[in-house]
Amino acid sequence: MAIVIINGRRFSSSSELVLKILEDHNIEANAMCKAGFCGQCKCSANNPEAVVHKHDVIASLDDGEILPCSAYIKDGYELELNLKI
């Protein structure tokens, strides 16, 4: 079970893909390419070390940013995102 914490609210999912978790809870992520190329969905995470990007990420990321479309939560971690929902 993967856990994402957004603004103090916990969301769980059987999926480990961050974008799928957001979609499962009707949280808009602005994902365009869904493959790590465009960077449209990048968002700020308090603990970006909680994910691994499975695709070859082409979009540039600043410190503390992840791409939900290609980010999978590592086993045993909870991801804390800073999103406006």
Side-chain angles (χ1 to χ4, degrees):
M1 183 73 55
I3 304 289
V4 173
I5 302 167
I6 303 171
N7 304 333
R9 292 179 53 201
R10 297 170 65 87
F11 299 89
S12 62
S13 174
S14 58
S15 174
E16 294 175 346
L17 177 63
V18 176
L19 179 60
K20 177 73 171 125
I21 296 168
L22 297 177
E23 290 175 344
D24 286 350
H25 295 285
N26 298 314
I27 299 169
E28 180 63 44
N30 296 321
M32 300 295 281
C33 72
K34 297 187 178 182
F37 297 114
C38 73
Q40 186 69 31
C41 67
K42 71 177 152 181
C43 62
S44 175
N46 287 345
N47 58 335
E49 68 280 358
V51 302
V52 59
H53 286 91
K54 295 285 182 162
H55 301 294
D56 291 331
V57 174
I58 302 298
S60 64
L61 296 174
D62 292 330
D63 288 340
E65 290 183 330
I66 67 162
L67 293 174
C69 70
S70 67
Y72 289 80
I73 299 176
K74 294 178 184 175
D75 194 32
Y77 282 81
E78 293 181 351
L79 176 64
E80 191 170 347
L81 296 177
N82 301 311
L83 297 178
K84 294 180 183 179
I85 58 171

